[in-house]
């Protein structure tokens, strides 16, 4: 039977891919605003698609999102993807919805580690790229040099010569302008729209075959239930047609779908039917999972399941066992924790959750510290109370050899910071692979480093560079174990008594090191209240009051002045932990603690 397939001229499906902070979401803002999606005078703000609180607070895209605009008679489906390496699973799962990609590259930074990762993935699924050199308005912009670096990247990754033929557009996404020639200032995004229509092919559509769609995203609505999002791979679907779900087990299961929606701007529009090439959302599919195939009941054929790269970092999530547990959270039990982690697996394809020997503790694996930290913060805001361990890398054993994940680390900083960074990274078993000095005091350092060498390095990096630097890394692969790594963290100041911290007790503790809490903070025995100036842990009584006597001091009216407490963020708290410590997470606070809370028992265990 001859199958009729043709390119759809009325449709383009594109993914926007880049390294973190190169301007993807700002570019989407400009495309949305200039395609008349919004009403005249409607106030829509910036970073329109970064809709959840964590994305706005951290300034990064965490979840891939769909939107669509119209340019003339053509509908352009746009997939905005995360740029941080820890969320690369989000990129992998949505690229198969596109036929082309806008590869954004910062006009100052040039290609970074994640740029290489996303371009490789785009080539693997056969996307046609357009290179968009963004932020050409920056004072240090070097678009010609960045283009040459991008061409070198294409030469390195391309698997056939057609991939070396790409169009280049120069943009200032913040101002909403694009141009094909640097000598001609842009006035709108029209050149980019025209390049998309010219360079990105329409989807190849087999409209005669039975309906097929691979589920790449899951959404949930209280009224419509679970919603499957994906691109129609073959055929047509009209509301009411018989459908089956083909899951991991491979057996077709009849399902009843609700409505069908297409994307338009920030809205979803109900439609009666969808055809091959359309990106749609189908509601009412309660059992559906990411990676499942939805197919016509009369032609139940499965599409290849989504495969993403393996996790590299893991940590334990357990029921909170600290004194006073249950006072601040709503969800406390192992049953609730298990259910929440299981629910996360339905949408977070790069995550893994395993049972442990304890029914109250779960082993959670992800792409990196930030990947797991976002999950922790999300659960905390939902009212969960639990405790987590120090992140550690996942190793493999091949024959007699132990393999561990390695990463390509790129650091941009100034000459004055090179010595301190080189010394610290040497302790973390990093090997320098490249050093570039631009002659104006700016330096780019490239390293090959074990993933475990990056655990705890990000917060230290800010200290070593005094904020004058940026770093990025991406997974290279698994290589032989690089050897033992000596911890550079000092010991902890550990509370020896439960109660309320007071100024006098904290003042005594500050004679030993740095404190993390303020007067009036409730503490318990075994809680970490600071960092010792020496290498060993020390027990301190921060609840200790000054002895009262009947002798009046000549300095009685002089108040004790404390050094302000150091407040650790979630990521800094995870970086701080060592193997015998845990982080207590509640909706109101993070508390560092020892695994063994009793001081005498802990000291006895340390001697053993």
């Amino acid at each position: 039977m001859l199958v009729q397939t043709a390119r759809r001229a009325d449709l383009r499906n594109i993914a926007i891919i880049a390294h973190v902070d190169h301007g993807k979401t700002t570019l989407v803002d400009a495309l949305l605003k200039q395609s008349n999606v919004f009403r005249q005078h409607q106030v829509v703000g910036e970073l329109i698609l970064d809709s959840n609180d964590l994305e706005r607070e951290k300034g990064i895209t965490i979840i891939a999102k769909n939107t669509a605009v119209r340019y003339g008679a053509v509908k352009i489906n746009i997939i905005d993807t995360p740029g941080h390496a820890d969320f690369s699973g989000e990129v992998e799962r949505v690229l198969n919805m596109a036929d082309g990609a806008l590869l954004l590259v910062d006009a100052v930074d040039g290609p970074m580690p994640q740029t290489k990762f996303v371009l490789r993935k785009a080539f693997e699924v056969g996307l046609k790229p357009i290179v968009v050199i963004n932020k050409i308005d920056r004072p240090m912009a070097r678009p010609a040099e960045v283009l040459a670096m991008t061409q070198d990247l294409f030469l390195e990754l391309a698997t056939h010569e057609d991939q070396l033929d790409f169009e280049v557009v120069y943009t200032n996404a913040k101002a909403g302008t694009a141009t094909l020639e640097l000598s001609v200032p842009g006035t709108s995004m029209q050149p980019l729209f025209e390049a998309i229509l010219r360079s990105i092919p329409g989807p190849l559509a087999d409209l005669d075959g039975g309906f097929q769609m691979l589920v790449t995203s899951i959404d949930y609505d209280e009224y419509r239930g679970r919603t499957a999002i994906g691109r129609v791979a073959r055929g047509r679907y009209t509301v009411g047609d018989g459908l089956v779900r083909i899951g991991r087990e491979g057996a077709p299961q009849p399902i009843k779908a609700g409505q069908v929606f297409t994307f338009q701007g920030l809205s979803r529009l109900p439609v009666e039917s969808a055809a091959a090439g359309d990106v749609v959302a189908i509601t009412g599919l309660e059992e559906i999972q990411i990676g499942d195939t939805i197919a016509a009941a009369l032609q139940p054929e499965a599409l290849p399941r989504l495969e993403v790269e393996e996790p590299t970092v893991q940590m334990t999530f357990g029921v909170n066992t600290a004194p006073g547990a249950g006072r601040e959270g709503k969800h406390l039990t192992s049953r609730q924790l298990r259910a929440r982690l299981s629910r996360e697996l339905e949408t977070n394809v790069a995550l893994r959750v395993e049972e442990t020997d304890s029914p109250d503790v779960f082993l959670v694996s992800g792409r990196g510290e930030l990947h797991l930290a976002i999950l922790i913060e999300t659960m905390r805001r939902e009212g969960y109370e639990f405790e987590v361990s120090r992140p550690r890398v996942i190793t493999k054993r091949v024959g007699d050899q132990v393999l561990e994940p390695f990463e390509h680390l790129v650091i941009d900083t100034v000459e004055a910071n090179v010595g301190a960074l080189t010394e610290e990274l040497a302790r973390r078993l990093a090997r320098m692979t490249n050093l570039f000095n631009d002659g104006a005091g700016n330096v780019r350092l490239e390293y090959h480093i074990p993933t475990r060498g990056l655990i705890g390095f990000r917060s230290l990096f800010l200290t070593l560079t005094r904020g004058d630097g940026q770093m990025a890394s991406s997974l290279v692969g698994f290589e032989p174990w690089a050897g033992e790594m000596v911890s550079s963290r000092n010991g902890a100041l550990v509370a020896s008594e439960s109660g309320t911290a007071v100024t006098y007790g904290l003042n005594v503790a500050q004679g030993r090191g740095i404190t993390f809490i303020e007067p009036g903070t409730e503490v318990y025995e075994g809680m970490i209240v600071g960092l010792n100036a020496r290498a060993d842990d020390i027990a301190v009584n921060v609840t200790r009051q000054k002895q009262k006597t009947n002798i009046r001091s000549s300095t009685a009216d002089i108040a004790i002045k404390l050094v302000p407490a150091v407040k650790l963020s979630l990521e800094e708290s995870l970086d701080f932990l060592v193997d015998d410590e845990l982080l207590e997470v509640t909706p109101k606070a993070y508390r560092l603690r020892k695994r063994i809370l009793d001081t005498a028992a802990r000291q006895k265990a340390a001697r053993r």
Side-chain angles (χ1 to χ4, degrees):
M1 178 182 172
L2 183 65
V3 177
Q4 296 294 321
T5 59
R7 295 279 180 191
R8 288 186 58 177
D10 64 331
L11 187 63
R12 299 291 187 275
N13 296 320
I14 61 168
I16 300 186
I17 57 177
H19 184 78
V20 67
D21 202 32
H22 280 198
K24 297 179 302 303
T25 307
T26 305
L27 184 73
V28 175
D29 284 358
L31 295 175
L32 286 169
K33 290 173 181 177
Q34 294 188 28
S35 58
N36 300 318
V37 165
F38 306 109
R39 299 186 306 274
Q40 193 172 8
H41 307 305
Q42 181 180 353
V43 178
V44 293
E46 297 178 343
L47 304 179
I48 300 165
L49 289 190
D50 282 352
S51 52
N52 74 45
D53 292 341
L54 276 175
E55 289 182 317
R56 289 191 170 274
E57 287 173 22
K58 294 184 177 293
I60 59 173
T61 300
I62 295 170
I63 303 168
K65 301 176 187 69
N66 297 81
T67 186
V69 299
R70 283 204 168 271
Y71 185 74
V74 179
K75 180 179 181 179
I76 303 173
N77 284 312
I78 300 171
I79 306 151
D80 183 23
T81 65
H84 197 286
D86 283 16
F87 306 106
S88 50
E90 289 286 310
V91 180
E92 292 176 71
R93 74 173 172 84
V94 298
L95 284 185
N96 65 3
M97 287 197 284
D99 298 293
L102 302 185
L103 178 69
L104 258 71
V105 186
D106 190 295
V108 175
D109 296 342
M112 296 291 277
Q114 185 70 356
T115 312
K116 184 175 182 178
F117 172 85
V118 295
L119 181 60
R120 181 189 291 117
K121 292 298 177 184
F123 281 160
E124 286 176 3
V125 296
L127 301 191
K128 174 71 175 175
I130 295 175
V131 173
V132 180
I133 298 180
N134 191 31
K135 304 187 182 182
I136 56 173
D137 58 310
R138 291 181 64 182
M140 301 288 288
R142 42 176 188 153
E145 189 176 339
V146 165
L147 176 58
M149 296 163 68
T150 306
Q151 288 170 330
D152 291 342
L153 186 61
F154 271 72
L155 284 168
E156 179 185 347
L157 299 179
T159 54
H160 56 82
E161 61 183 21
D162 291 348
Q163 293 171 334
L164 300 176
D165 181 23
F166 57 88
E167 193 161 355
V168 182
V169 181
Y170 302 93
T171 62
N172 175 357
K174 199 166 186 180
T177 62
T179 180
L180 301 181
E181 298 289 340
L182 284 169
S183 57
V184 181
T187 57
S188 71
M189 280 291 169
Q190 183 178 347
L192 181 57
F193 279 119
E194 295 287 350
I196 291 170
L197 269 55
R198 189 167 54 245
S199 295
I200 305 298
L204 195 62
D206 170 12
L207 300 176
D208 298 326
F211 177 77
Q212 269 185 322
M213 186 182 96
L214 184 69
V215 179
T216 54
S217 297
I218 296 288
D219 199 2
Y220 183 81
D221 184 276
E222 288 184 2
Y223 303 102
R224 301 188 181 101
R226 286 171 71 82
T227 299
I229 300 171
R231 169 177 160 171
V232 181
R234 188 182 69 188
R236 295 178 183 272
Y237 172 70
T238 302
V239 175
D241 288 352
L243 294 176
V244 295
R245 162 186 170 260
I246 306 173
R248 190 177 297 276
E249 64 281 355
Q253 298 176 340
I255 54 174
K256 185 172 177 60
Q259 294 175 283
V260 179
F261 292 85
T262 60
F263 295 88
Q264 182 63 35
L266 304 183
S267 304
R268 294 180 183 179
L269 304 179
V271 293
E272 284 301 312
S273 65
D278 287 331
V279 175
V280 298
I282 303 178
T283 67
L285 306 175
E286 291 307 309
E287 300 297 322
I288 206 74
Q289 302 289 339
I290 289 177
D292 289 355
T293 298
I294 301 173
L298 298 177
Q299 200 172 347
E301 298 174 2
L303 292 162
R305 285 191 73 84
L306 285 170
E307 298 294 338
V308 299
E309 292 186 2
E310 300 173 27
T312 57
V313 175
Q314 62 186 194
M315 62 200 304
T316 60
F317 283 52
V319 172
N320 188 8
T321 57
R327 294 178 185 173
E328 299 173 357
K330 295 185 297 182
H331 309 297
L332 317 168
T333 66
S334 60
R335 179 182 59 81
Q336 291 170 322
L337 190 59
R338 179 186 284 106
R340 177 62 182 83
L341 292 172
S342 297
R343 194 163 71 247
E344 186 68 22
L345 288 175
E346 296 177 0
T347 56
N348 198 335
V349 294
L351 199 73
R352 304 285 185 273
V353 178
E354 303 169 46
E355 301 278 348
T356 67
D357 295 337
S358 169
D360 294 336
V361 179
F362 306 92
L363 186 64
V364 181
S365 306
R367 283 291 181 85
E369 282 181 279
L370 186 60
H371 185 201
L372 296 175
I374 292 295
L375 173 59
I376 293 168
E377 180 63 19
T378 302
M379 290 174 61
R380 183 184 78 85
R381 296 184 183 199
E382 292 172 359
Y384 286 83
E385 188 174 307
F386 53 101
E387 59 190 23
V388 298
S389 69
R390 177 179 189 261
R392 60 186 178 88
V393 297
I394 299 171
T395 58
K396 294 180 179 178
R397 182 172 287 277
V398 178
D400 297 332
Q401 209 167 33
V402 176
L403 305 182
E404 65 172 323
F406 274 73
E407 305 205 20
H408 177 218
L409 172 66
V410 176
I411 292 174
D412 287 312
T413 186
V414 294
E415 287 178 349
N417 299 329
V418 171
L421 288 170
T422 303
E423 184 179 350
E424 180 59 35
L425 286 166
R427 281 201 292 265
R428 295 169 178 267
L429 306 181
R431 187 181 79 248
M432 185 182 290
T433 58
N434 192 24
L435 186 153
F436 173 76
N437 190 321
D438 68 355
N442 301 307
V443 179
R444 171 167 287 190
L445 306 167
E446 297 186 31
Y447 287 91
H448 189 66
I449 183 172
T451 298
R452 60 194 165 104
L454 289 175
I455 294 176
F457 179 67
R458 293 183 188 276
S459 55
L460 182 61
F461 173 77
L462 294 175
T463 304
L464 293 176
T465 61
R466 301 172 203 72
D468 193 2
Q470 58 180 351
M471 59 172 282
S473 63
S474 65
L475 181 68
V476 174
F478 283 77
E479 299 179 14
W481 183 263
E484 290 303 316
M485 196 175 296
V486 180
S487 173
S488 58
R489 201 204 84 177
N490 286 351
L493 300 179
V494 187
S496 60
E497 302 286 341
S498 299
T500 303
V502 297
T503 302
Y504 183 78
L506 285 171
N507 185 54
V508 174
Q510 288 191 347
R512 300 283 191 165
I514 301 165
T515 54
F516 299 153
I517 62 171
E518 296 172 338
T521 303
E522 289 294 320
V523 299
Y524 52 81
E525 183 181 3
M527 179 174 161
I528 296 170
V529 296
L531 180 66
N532 192 6
R534 298 174 181 251
D536 54 335
D537 293 340
I538 187 170
V540 293
N541 183 6
V542 293
T543 67
R544 179 184 172 193
Q545 300 273 3
K546 185 178 180 181
Q547 291 289 344
K548 293 180 173 62
T549 69
N550 59 1
I551 300 172
R552 181 178 178 183
S553 169
S554 60
T555 58
D557 296 329
I558 301 176
I560 296 172
K561 292 186 178 180
L562 294 175
V563 176
V566 174
K567 296 294 184 182
L568 299 181
S569 66
L570 172 58
E571 288 86 354
E572 289 169 336
S573 297
L574 293 174
D575 291 346
F576 181 88
L577 293 174
V578 294
D579 290 337
D580 70 332
E581 297 168 356
L582 295 169
L583 177 66
E584 179 191 355
V585 181
T586 77
K588 294 184 179 179
Y590 308 115
R591 299 183 186 94
L592 295 159
R593 51 159 288 189
K594 289 292 182 180
R595 285 181 184 269
I596 302 174
L597 296 177
D598 183 81
T599 303
R602 187 172 63 253
Q603 291 172 346
K604 187 176 180 180
R607 285 194 296 271
R608 282 203 304 269

